[in-house]
Amino acid sequence: MENNEFFTDNSYSPKIEEMRKTISQIIAGQEKMIDLILTAILADGHVLIEGVPGIAKTLTARVISKLINADFSRIQFTSDLMPSDVLGTNVFNMSTNTFDFHKGPAFGDIILVDEINRAPAKTQSALFEVMEERQATIDGTKHEMGNIYTIIATQNPIEQEGTYRLPEAQLDRFLFKINMGYPTLDEEIRIISSHNQKKNFTKLEDLPTIITKEELIELRNRVHSIFIDEKIIHYIASIIQESRTNQSIYMGASPRASIALLNASKAFALLQGRSFVIPDDIKMLAVPVLCHRLILSSQAEMEGIPVESIINEIVENVEVPK
């Protein structure tokens, strides 16, 4: 079948590889995070990154937006942030006797939301409405977002004082939750050496555009044509069903998780230069797709069992399609 062959006319594959190479030259390590963020952008999804400060979350988002020639904006969530501070507001224009809408930082292509759990619930809700609907309704007027609208949100897992925990229903809006750890010893040495030698200090404004917005939209259209066998669809469904019967899980994944795993696997296959999904794609993406969508049982929480371990156990228990 033609769909099962590698792309022979995919002129975008070299560009994707060039993006990954350029990012890796600026940011040491974190290859998995970079691949997941690029996968989410291709799959038209949003990303939640959890990790301690200083591990290049903000820099990664800015570099990716520059290489895609996308409009980038950053929102620092604080406890006194209001919805109008994020979405914008109508301001009276005395010269025209009309109200002019002044867009907030939520209007852009790639939006970095730092410490999303620090804002109160009403501000979080305003942002999540935009994430889901790709539009904002302000004073009865709808304002559309761009075609490549992507939220990259971060939260600090250590500090809990002055934070507002995201409800599970809102977490479900994110395609991935990425748990970022510290760099390895070798990666740490690379980071220190680069700073010591004044290397890799490329200014963001000097970075070239590798993929235009139009090309990114074309790539997203190609994601829909990625072939996925019925056996792998059954594999996805079996993993989701297993999450609902596992004794360590109080509430399993919803059908939205099934669709998220499907779309993410097709985007990840395209990122790897393939025109078809393989079982390893599902194994690779199961944790970032499911880890924020499951609620552990009280017993599992008391025992301190990581949700990632339970997901990996579920995946191992489901028969891999031949």
Side-chain angles (χ1 to χ4, degrees), residues 61-91:
R62 296 193 66 185
V63 169
I64 290 175
S65 65
K66 181 63 177 176
L67 297 179
I68 298 177
N69 193 27
D71 294 330
F72 174 84
S73 64
R74 177 179 177 272
I75 311 172
Q76 179 66 55
F77 269 29
T78 58
S79 58
D80 59 349
L81 197 71
M82 301 296 291
S84 59
D85 297 326
V86 175
L87 302 179
T89 185
N90 287 311
V91 178

Side-chain angles (χ1 to χ4, degrees), residues 84-235:
S84 59
D85 297 326
V86 175
L87 302 179
T89 185
N90 287 311
V91 178
F92 185 71
N93 188 331
M94 296 183 64
S95 62
T96 62
N97 285 329
T98 59
F99 283 92
D100 296 335
F101 178 63
H102 290 208
K103 293 182 178 179
F107 285 83
D109 295 320
I110 296 180
I111 316 298
L112 177 69
V113 180
D114 260 337
E115 297 188 284
I116 190 172
N117 57 334
R118 286 203 176 276
K122 59 183 177 181
T123 304
Q124 292 177 3
S125 297
L127 180 67
F128 281 105
E129 178 187 0
V130 177
M131 289 172 58
E132 181 67 16
E133 305 296 334
R134 298 299 202 277
Q135 66 180 25
T137 304
I138 300 171
D139 293 340
T141 303
K142 292 182 180 180
H143 301 274
E144 301 286 340
M145 299 297 171
N147 292 330
I148 61 172
Y149 192 73
T150 303
I151 295 286
I152 301 176
T154 71
Q155 63 179 12
N156 187 338
I158 305 301
E159 297 178 4
Q160 300 300 324
E161 184 177 353
T163 62
Y164 301 82
R165 186 174 180 269
L166 298 178
E168 281 72 18
Q170 292 184 352
L171 284 171
D172 201 34
R173 306 296 183 187
F174 289 101
L175 178 66
F176 294 144
K177 179 183 176 185
I178 305 171
N179 292 306
M180 286 183 62
Y182 289 111
T184 64
L185 176 60
D186 290 339
E187 292 167 351
E188 192 88 35
I189 292 173
R190 283 173 53 197
I191 294 170
I192 297 172
S193 298
S194 296
H195 279 258
N196 183 52
Q197 299 168 14
K198 302 297 181 181
K199 290 182 178 180
N200 294 340
F201 285 170
T202 305
K203 294 182 179 180
L204 291 179
E205 55 267 23
D206 295 335
L207 289 174
T209 296
I210 297 177
I211 295 179
T212 65
K213 295 180 185 179
E214 293 73 22
E215 289 173 333
L216 178 57
I217 293 172
E218 173 61 24
L219 275 172
R220 284 184 171 181
N221 292 334
R222 291 196 180 199
V223 168
H224 299 301
S225 64
I226 296 295
F227 176 76
I228 181 165
D229 192 271
E230 287 293 329
K231 293 181 180 178
I232 297 184
I233 292 178
H234 187 273
Y235 183 48

